[in-house]
Amino acid sequence: MKFKQVKFPKWANAEQTQIDCMVEWKKFPGQLMPFTASPADPSAHGRDLYTRLQSGEFGVVGDYEPPVPPSAPEE
């Protein structure tokens, strides 16, 4: 799949084996869509995008931010 732009890369996990980003695919012009790139992606475009993101082609990859657990409901 071909893309027009890639924005907001950040590590998707603490192990730094996946990168979350927003991609505008040529097939869907004008729409930034979430994408997680990985070196183990079954698709060539996912593996290629991971390599390019990791090299800094689309900017510095932001730090991983662990999810915030939901707060317990008040009784």
Side-chain angles (χ1 to χ4, degrees):
M1 254 175 124
K2 306 226 183 237
F3 58 87
K4 292 178 81 174
Q5 63 177 325
V6 179
K7 293 184 169 194
F8 315 118
K10 71 176 195 169
W11 291 108
N13 58 16
E15 298 78 24
Q16 296 187 341
T17 58
Q18 299 177 332
I19 301 173
D20 286 337
C21 58
M22 298 297 287
V23 178
E24 180 184 357
W25 302 102
K26 286 189 177 182
K27 189 175 182 178
F28 304 102
Q31 296 180 32
L32 280 173
M33 304 174 137
F35 185 78
T36 301
S38 163
D41 195 302
S43 301
H45 69 269
R47 295 187 303 271
D48 176 59
L49 196 51
Y50 177 85
T51 299
R52 293 170 71 180
L53 284 158
Q54 188 181 34
S55 75
E57 184 175 334
F58 305 103
V60 175
V61 178
D63 294 334
Y64 168 67
E65 297 176 21
V68 177
S71 22
E74 293 184 28
E75 293 184 27

